[in-house]
Amino acid sequence: MANRQSLKELQERLARRLSAARSEVATASWLAVEAGGQRYLMPLVQSGEIFPWTTVQEVPYTKPWYVGVASLRGGLQGVIDLGVLLHRSGPVLAPVSERVSSDSRMVSLHTALGINAVLLIDRLLGLRNPAMFNAVDERLPDAPACFGHRLIDAKGQAWQELDLQALSTEPEFMAIAA
């Protein structure tokens, strides 16, 4: 009898946690990530699966931000170092082999975008929704087309909205040859 009661309590706890998780995902708008020392907000509707760092086959004669090709779920995906791609004119980052850690992840672009690519990020920072931000900064005048608004959270940290669809159609993103 005690086992039956314990099982019932477990099922009720799991149901409550599942319900809470569903409502959290339903209200979340962005996947929060860090890449190249910057914080970005990727729209959940444009993001795909999240993968741990894996072996990547380098491709010669490509741009510095194109890490190589990885086999993920039986398909080949181009691996793009988001920090290097977005900071082409910024400080030079260390090679990928020196920066990849146990926190590093690869975020695929949603299949609807039609691009077989994953974005290498330094670490995941969770889900975010608009209520978590206090202010919206103006869009930087020289920002790439894929940058949306800069949002400021309660801690005063700046977050850059990143439109993955716009990023995937930028000429620089599509031209990997060095």
Side-chain angles (χ1 to χ4, degrees):
M1 186 73 163
N3 286 343
R4 187 176 289 165
Q5 184 63 25
S6 295
L7 180 59
K8 183 177 181 182
E9 289 173 4
L10 174 65
Q11 288 173 330
E12 289 171 353
R13 264 195 335 262
L14 287 175
R16 283 191 303 271
R17 290 181 69 190
L18 182 59
S19 176
R22 282 186 184 145
S23 65
E24 180 180 317
V25 170
T27 60
S29 299
W30 299 292
L31 176 64
V33 303
E34 184 178 303
Q38 302 294 314
R39 287 178 293 280
Y40 296 99
L41 298 169
M42 298 178 179
L44 284 177
V45 296
Q46 296 175 354
S47 303
E49 192 170 350
I50 300 168
F51 299 95
W53 176 253
T54 188
T55 304
V56 175
Q57 180 63 47
E58 291 183 21
V59 178
Y61 310 113
T62 57
K63 302 235 171 113
W65 50 263
Y66 192 80
V67 180
V69 178
S71 177
L72 302 168
R73 296 238 187 257
L76 292 178
Q77 302 281 331
V79 180
I80 289 108
D81 188 330
L82 185 63
V84 175
L85 175 65
L86 296 177
H87 299 102
R88 292 183 292 262
S89 61
V92 177
L93 298 175
V96 170
S97 59
E98 296 175 20
R99 288 185 292 113
V100 170
S101 71
S102 60
D103 291 337
S104 298
R105 297 288 184 266
M106 295 183 292
V107 178
S108 67
L109 301 178
H110 194 280
T111 54
L113 298 177
I115 305 286
N116 288 341
V118 293
L119 302 172
L120 172 62
I121 59 166
D122 299 335
R123 64 188 179 126
L124 290 172
L125 299 173
L127 298 175
R128 299 291 190 273
N129 64 50
M132 299 172 129
F133 298 94
N134 297 333
V136 177
D137 273 353
E138 290 298 316
R139 192 173 179 282
L140 300 173
D142 58 343
C146 63
F147 279 17
H149 294 291
R150 288 177 48 87
L151 303 165
I152 309 298
D153 66 13
K155 295 178 183 175
Q157 297 175 322
W159 295 80
Q160 180 63 60
E161 272 186 298
L162 186 61
D163 183 341
L164 298 180
Q165 183 173 10
L167 176 69
S168 69
T169 59
E170 282 188 8
E172 180 70 12
F173 185 87
M174 300 301 288
I176 64 169

